[in-house]
Structure formats: structure tokens, C-alpha cells
């Protein structure tokens, strides 16, 4: 009897407790009922936010009604995690915004992107194309809209992104141009090539979108080659008009063929070799010949290497062109050029400003050391031991050659140097040796394992990082799933370090390296 009384009393106490707090605190319906109470509203929203999506969904009808009543951004934000079709009309409605009332539109764009709402594409396009003052805070809606369109992935968005990319910085926040270019890089749609080529030459408030447009064009791949050859030959009417209007010949002479060659090298466009060779015969306005020669090295076909060797050995060529040809040869990794580079390191004197100089000799010595193997060590050491004019550079080259002597063809040895050697010079040589080995099965895992977050590197190690990326493009192809996984992870980490000096450029190279690999067909 006493036990029964205790149970009754306990039940009464629970009943009192529940009636006092208005229901079970773990039941979403308890808090749903409190959403109409202004005093309890915030607590109710906080409690629902702590619950799992599936559990809290029982309160969704009341949460929708609350937003309809208040129109508060935070109440709309609370609906975003449900990804529920019942919320979509609210998000679509919220995309209508003004300069003074835009917070809800930012929330809505983000939610629709996460929902991959293809039916929202027309409204999102309308939002991103809305003209606003350059400094308006409401531009955050346009940025959110671009992100949403990219997440949805519907190609109806491409013309809108092209329009934003090519709009002058005098008319809009230039950050919009940058994000539009990155969005087009995700779509990889050939219809965007003309806009991306124009973007290569656009600037705004001290910044440019060259790297973003470069990435997009490289990701598009083969369809971009012919338009870039046209650009190299200065036959693109729109860019020609821009060049006249902005007086490129005065402000940035040679910039059009320079950037075209740069991109053709990124694309490893063998088809472009004849056009690049022909352009070398056109007198340079600035540094475009250097870009052409580097591009030929990146392409690296036998015909391209032959052109580089001819320029390197041409005593009538400009010394800077001969140096660029030397650099192109090492990028090609063609060891048939090793004797030529060795001879150039010994005898390649040039006249600079009327004075006999060793600039080309020094350049050739470093390039030789990057591609030569153990068999060249003794000959180069004999040369380095006698060197007096540029002894420091020859010593640096010899240090690279020592790595080749120590490791020869042993990739495990090069891996140890790459991972553990404190000398960036030796580590860079190891990275290149792995890349030029031709052994993808063993070399690619070594290179991927050697990648480190840019934030963890000293700036002295940046050349090593670049050598690793370049070597990956030599060995890996589109079949390498681990390359995609590792490089995407690298990009994700390095995006958090872009404020470090030089880090943004390295991030750009990582993105481009991944695009080059993904465009590369598996060798038969």
C-alpha cells in the first residue's frame, strides 16, 4: 500500500513538472507550440536547433508560419537545414531584394544552392544580374547567387556568369568578376571561352582575374586551343579592339601574345607548336618570346624541343631568348639536350651591354643540373671546379648534380632526399628527377606524399612545391583518382592560407596542375 502511494505521488509530481514547463522538453511539438509566444519564441527556436533535423522536422509547419509572420532573416535561416520542398517557396520569394533589405536573399540563395534547386535557376540568375552600386552591401546577394548557381550546376547559368565576368569594374564590384570566372571554371563549358579570353585582360581596382580565367580555360581543355592560337596571332577582334582602346602597345606591350602563349603551354597544346614557332619570327615588343619558349618546353614534343635547341644555339638571338630556350629545354625533360646544355654552360658567353657576360652559361648550368643524371656528374664537376666568374651558381648546380650521383635511378633514394633533406636545392632536384623518371606507378605516390600545406612551408621551400606539382603533371593522367583526391585536399587547405606572401600564386598552380592532369589521356 505504501509502495502504491509512492507511485501515485511520483506520477503526480511528473505531471506537475510537465504542466509547469508546458510538456516534454525533448518533444519538438512542445517547442512548436511555444513559437507563437513572444516570450518563449527564442528559447523554442534554440531548443529546436539543438535537435537533429529529422526530429525537429515535426515542428517545421509552425516554423514556416513563424517566418511568414515575422519575415526575419534568422527565422528563414532556421529553415535552411531541412532541405524540405515546403520551404522552397519562401526562399524563392526571399530572392526579391533591395539595397536596404537583402539579408533574407543571401540566406535564400545559399539554401537553394544547397538544395540544388534547378527550378530556382531563373530567379537566381535574375538576382545575380541585378545592377547595384559598386560599394553596395547588397552585392553579397549576387555573390551568394553565383555560389548557388555553381552548386546547382545547371548550364543555364553560364551566359549570366559570362555577362558578369565581362562587365567593367567601373560598373560593378570586381569581386563579382572573380567569382564569375571561378564559377565558369566549375562549369567547363566551351561557350564561355570568348568571355574567359576577354577576362584574361581585365583589371579592376588594382586586381585582375587572369588566374581565374586561366584556370577555367585549362579546365575546358582542347576546345580552347584554336581560340588561343587566334589570340596568339592577334586575330581576335574583341581583344584587338580592347588593345586599341586601352593602348596595350604603350601600357603593356606584347601582352596579348604573351598571355596566349602562356595558356597554350598550360594546355600542353602540341597543335600550337607551328604557330608558336612562327610567332618567334615576329619581333618581340616585350617578353612574349620568353613566354613562347617556355610554352614550347611545357609542350615538350620533339619538334618543340628542336626549336628550343635552335634558339639556344643561335648566337644572333637575344640573350634573354636563349636563356628562356634553356629553361624550356629543362621543362621538356628531354635528356638528348644534356650535351648541348653542358657545352653551353662551358662556352655560352654572351654580350650584354657591350660586355662579355656569363648569364647564359649560369642559366644553362642550373637547367642542366635539373635534368642531367649521374652519367654527367664527372664532366660537370670538372667544369665547376674551374669556374671563377659565376662560381656560386655553378656550386648550386653541382649540389643538384650530387643528388643525381647519389641516387642515380633509385626513386626511393630521391624520395628520402625530397622528404628529409633540409636543402631546398637538393629537394627540388629530387622532385624533378622523379618527374622525369617516367615511372608513374612509383613516382606519383612519392610526389603526392611529399605535398605539404603551404602554411607549413617556409618560402624557401616554395620552389620544391612547384617542382612537385610540375612533376605530377609529367607522370600522372586522368586515371589517377588519388591525384584528384590529394590535390583537392591540398587546394582546400591552401585556400585558408592565401594571405601568406606567395601562397595565392601557389594555390593557382595547384589548381592548374590538377586541371592539366585531368585533361591528360591515359597513355596506351
Amino acid at each position: 500500500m505504501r509502495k502504491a502511494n509512492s507511485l501515485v505521488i511520483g506520477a503526480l509530481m511528473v505531471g506537475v513538472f510537465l504542466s509547469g514547463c508546458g510538456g516534454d522538453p525533448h518533444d519538438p511539438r512542445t517547442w512548436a507550440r511555444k513559437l507563437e509566444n513572444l516570450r518563449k519564441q527564442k528559447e523554442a527556436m534554440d531548443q529546436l536547433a539543438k535537435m537533429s533535423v529529422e526530429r525537429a522536422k515535426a515542428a517545421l509547419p509552425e516554423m514556416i508560419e513563424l517566418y511568414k509572420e515575422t519575415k526575419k532573416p534568422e527565422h528563414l535561416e532556421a529553415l535552411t537545414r531541412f532541405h524540405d520542398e515546403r520551404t522552397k517557396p519562401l526562399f524563392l520569394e526571399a530572392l526579391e531584394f533591395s539595397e536596404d533589405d537583402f539579408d533574407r536573399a543571401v540566406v535564400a540563395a545559399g539554401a537553394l544552392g544547397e538544395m540544388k534547386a534547378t527550378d530556382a535557376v531563373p530567379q537566381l540568375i535574375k538576382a545575380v544580374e541585378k545592377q547595384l552600386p559598386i560599394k553596395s552591401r547588397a552585392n553579397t546577394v549576387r555573390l551568394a547567387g553565383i555560389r548557388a548557381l555553381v552548386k546547382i550546376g545547371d548550364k543555364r547559368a553560364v551566359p549570366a556568369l559570362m555577362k558578369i565576368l565581362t562587365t567593367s569594374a567601373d560598373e560593378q564590384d570586381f569581386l563579382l568578376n572573380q567569382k564569375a570566372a571561378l564559377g565558369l571554371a566549375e562549369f567547363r563549358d566551351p561557350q564561355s571561352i570568348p568571355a574567359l579570353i576577354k577576362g584574361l585582360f581585365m583589371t579592376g581596382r588594382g586586381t585582375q582575374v587572369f588566374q581565374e580565367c586561366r584556370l577555367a580555360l585549362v579546365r575546358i581543355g582542347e576546345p580552347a586551343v584554336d581560340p588561343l592560337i587566334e589570340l596568339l596571332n592577334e586575330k581576335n577582334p574583341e581583344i584587338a579592339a580592347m588593345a586599341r582602346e586601352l593602348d596595350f602597345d604603350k601600357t603593356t606591350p606584347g601582352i596579348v601574345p604573351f598571355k596566349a602563349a602562356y595558356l597554350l603551354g598550360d594546355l600542353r597544346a602540341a597543335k600550337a607548336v607551328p604557330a608558336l614557332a612562327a610567332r618567334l619570327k615576329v619581333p618581340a615588343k616585350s617578353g612574349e618570346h620568353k613566354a613562347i619558349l617556355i610554352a614550347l618546353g611545357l609542350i615538350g614534343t620533339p619538334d618543340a624541343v628542336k626549336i628550343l635547341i635552335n634558339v639556344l644555339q643561335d648566337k644572333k638571338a637575344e640573350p634573354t631568348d636563349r636563356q628562356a630556350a634553356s629553361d624550356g629545354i629543362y621543362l621538356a625533360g628531354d635528356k638528348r639536350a644534356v650535351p648541348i646544355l653542358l657545352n653551353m654552360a662551358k662556352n655560352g658567353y654572351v654580350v650584354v651591354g657591350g660586355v662579355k657576360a656569363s648569364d647564359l652559361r649560369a642559366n644553362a648550368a642550373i637547367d642542366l643540373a635539373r635534368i642531367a643524371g649521374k652519367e654527367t656528374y664527372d664532366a660537370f664537376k670538372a667544369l665547376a671546379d674551374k669556374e671563377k666568374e659565376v662560381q656560386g651558381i655553378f656550386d648550386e648546380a653541382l649540389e643538384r648534380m650530387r643528388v643525381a650521383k647519389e641516387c642515380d635511378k633509385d626513386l626511393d633514394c630521391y624520395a628520402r632526399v625530397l622528404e628529409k633533406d633540409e636543402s631546398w636545392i637538393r629537394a627540388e632536384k629530387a622532385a624533378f628527377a622523379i618527374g622525369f623518371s617516367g615511372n608513374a606507378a612509383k613516382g606519383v605516390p612519392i610526389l603526392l606524399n611529399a605535398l605539404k600545406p603551404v602554411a607549413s612551408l617556409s618560402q624557401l621551400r616554395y620552389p620544391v612545391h612547384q617542382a612537385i606539382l610540375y612533376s605530377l603533371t609529367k607522370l600522372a593522367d586522368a586515371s589517377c583518382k588519388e591525384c584528384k583526391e590529394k590535390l583537392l585536399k591540398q587546394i582546400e587547405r591552401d585556400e585558408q592560407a592565401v594571405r601568406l606572401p606567395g601562397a595565392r600564386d601557389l594555390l593557382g598552380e595547384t589548381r592548374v596542375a590538377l586541371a592539366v592532369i585531368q585533361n591528360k589521356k591515359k597513355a596506351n
Side-chain angles (χ1 to χ4, degrees):
M1 189 71 180
R2 186 176 298 172
K3 183 176 181 181
N5 288 336
S6 297
L7 290 173
V8 171
I9 293 170
L12 289 172
M13 290 179 65
V14 170
V16 171
F17 172 76
L18 290 177
S19 64
C21 72
D24 182 357
H26 301 293
D27 183 353
R29 300 300 308 160
T30 298
W31 301 108
R33 288 190 292 271
K34 295 181 181 296
L35 290 174
E36 295 181 359
N37 186 327
L38 288 176
R39 295 176 59 189
K40 296 287 186 178
Q41 199 173 85
K42 185 178 184 309
E43 181 187 8
M45 293 295 287
D46 289 344
Q47 291 296 330
L48 289 167
K50 292 177 183 178
M51 295 180 186
S52 69
V53 170
E54 286 306 311
R55 189 171 182 81
K57 190 173 281 190
L60 186 56
E62 286 81 3
M63 295 175 70
I64 289 173
E65 289 305 315
L66 176 64
Y67 168 71
K68 287 181 177 179
E69 180 183 340
T70 68
K71 300 293 186 181
K72 289 184 177 180
E74 60 267 30
H75 292 162
L76 188 63
E77 177 75 37
L79 302 175
T80 60
R81 68 181 183 130
F82 294 101
H83 296 180
D84 191 289
E85 286 293 315
R86 290 173 289 177
T87 64
K88 191 182 291 183
L90 305 182
F91 296 133
L92 292 172
E93 180 189 39
L95 284 178
E96 294 290 338
F97 70 100
S98 67
E99 276 196 76
D100 299 320
D101 182 14
F102 58 86
D103 290 334
R104 290 178 300 124
V106 174
V107 173
L112 292 165
E114 291 296 329
M115 294 172 74
K116 299 192 183 303
T118 55
D119 52 341
V121 168
Q123 290 95 322
L124 285 165
I125 290 174
K126 181 181 176 182
V128 300
E129 289 185 336
K130 185 165 184 171
Q131 293 300 303
L132 295 166
I134 292 171
K135 294 185 178 181
S136 172
R137 291 177 59 241
N139 279 307
T140 54
V141 180
R142 300 183 70 191
L143 293 169
I146 291 172
R147 288 192 294 271
L149 289 168
V150 173
K151 284 185 177 180
I152 293 168
D154 189 311
K155 288 193 175 182
R156 286 178 292 171
V158 170
L161 296 180
M162 292 168 58
K163 180 180 177 181
I164 294 169
L165 169 60
T166 55
T167 298
S168 168
D170 293 333
E171 299 175 36
Q172 70 180 21
D173 183 349
F174 202 62
L175 183 60
L176 289 162
N177 301 67
Q178 181 193 59
K179 297 305 181 183
L182 286 174
L184 291 171
E186 295 297 321
F187 280 101
R188 307 176 190 223
D189 191 327
Q191 72 169 304
S192 66
I193 290 171
L196 291 164
I197 286 177
K198 182 177 180 181
L200 293 173
F201 303 94
M202 293 185 69
T203 60
R205 293 167 193 80
T207 62
Q208 55 182 337
V209 289
F210 172 79
Q211 289 295 347
E212 291 80 7
C213 293
R214 172 197 179 199
L215 173 64
L217 288 164
V218 176
R219 283 185 174 175
I220 290 169
E222 179 64 28
V225 172
D226 283 341
L228 286 167
I229 292 174
E230 180 185 58
L231 184 70
L232 175 75
N233 293 325
E234 298 184 272
K235 301 293 186 183
N236 180 305
E238 185 174 16
I239 302 306
M242 181 188 288
R244 289 191 297 271
E245 180 184 352
L246 301 177
D247 200 2
F248 282 1
D249 282 346
K250 181 178 180 180
T251 57
T252 52
I255 194 65
V256 174
F258 180 97
K259 289 188 175 181
Y262 197 112
L263 267 294
L264 289 166
D266 281 336
L267 287 164
R268 312 301 194 257
K271 181 181 181 180
V273 169
L276 290 164
R279 188 72 202 191
L280 283 173
K281 297 176 183 178
V282 178
K285 296 177 182 177
S286 185
E288 63 265 39
H289 280 186
K290 178 178 179 180
I292 290 168
L293 293 161
I294 294 299
L296 288 167
L298 291 170
I299 295 167
T301 61
D303 286 349
V305 174
K306 183 178 179 180
I307 295 165
L308 293 170
I309 290 173
N310 288 341
V311 173
L312 177 61
Q313 294 181 315
D314 184 358
K315 293 182 180 179
K316 294 182 180 179
E318 289 291 327
T320 52
D321 287 354
R322 296 178 73 188
Q323 289 181 41
S326 176
D327 291 342
I329 286 170
Y330 100 73
L331 288 169
D334 193 328
K335 292 193 176 182
R336 291 176 298 176
V338 165
I340 297 167
L341 287 171
L342 181 62
N343 180 63
M344 202 60 57
K346 181 179 181 181
N347 300 309
Y349 290 96
V350 293
V351 176
V352 179
V355 178
K356 186 178 179 181
S358 292
D359 300 46
L360 180 59
R361 292 179 56 240
N363 208 87
I366 293 295
D367 292 338
L368 168 70
R370 283 174 168 148
I371 66 170
K374 178 181 179 180
E375 66 282 355
T376 312
Y377 176 81
D378 290 338
F380 185 76
K381 186 176 187 308
L383 184 62
D385 286 345
K386 297 177 183 178
E387 181 59 39
K388 294 180 180 174
E389 292 165 336
V390 280
Q391 183 178 356
I393 293 175
F394 271 67
D395 287 345
E396 182 183 313
L398 186 61
E399 192 62 31
R400 288 181 169 87
M401 293 296 298
R402 285 196 183 97
V403 177
K405 182 183 179 185
E406 294 164 11
C407 295
D408 194 15
K409 301 183 187 306
D410 183 354
L411 294 195
D412 289 329
C413 176
Y414 287 118
R416 288 191 293 272
V417 174
L418 181 57
E419 282 282 357
K420 298 179 180 180
D421 205 302
E422 293 184 0
S423 166
W424 74 266
I425 294 169
R426 287 171 58 84
E428 185 204 58
K429 169 62 180 178
F432 280 128
I434 294 167
F436 295 139
S437 71
N439 188 342
K442 190 162 188 176
V444 169
I446 292 171
L447 293 166
L448 290 174
N449 187 59
L451 282 172
K452 300 291 186 293
V454 168
S456 70
L457 300 176
S458 71
Q459 289 190 44
L460 283 176
R461 300 292 289 195
Y462 283 9
V464 181
H465 187 85
Q466 290 177 307
I468 292 170
L469 293 173
Y470 183 67
S471 291
L472 281 168
T473 69
K474 295 292 285 186
L475 292 179
D477 59 39
S479 67
C480 180
K481 294 181 180 179
E482 188 181 12
C483 294
K484 181 178 179 180
E485 293 171 2
K486 288 289 184 72
L487 289 173
L488 285 175
K489 182 65 176 177
Q490 181 79 27
I491 290 166
E492 182 183 342
R493 292 183 300 189
D494 290 350
E495 284 174 339
Q496 309 306 313
V498 291
R499 294 185 181 277
L500 296 175
R504 184 178 293 276
D505 290 337
L506 284 185
L507 173 62
E509 294 307 315
T510 306
R511 286 171 169 161
V512 169
L514 176 57
V516 170
I517 291 167
Q518 291 182 310
N519 284 341
K520 192 174 174 184
K521 296 178 182 178
K522 187 174 182 179
N524 294 325

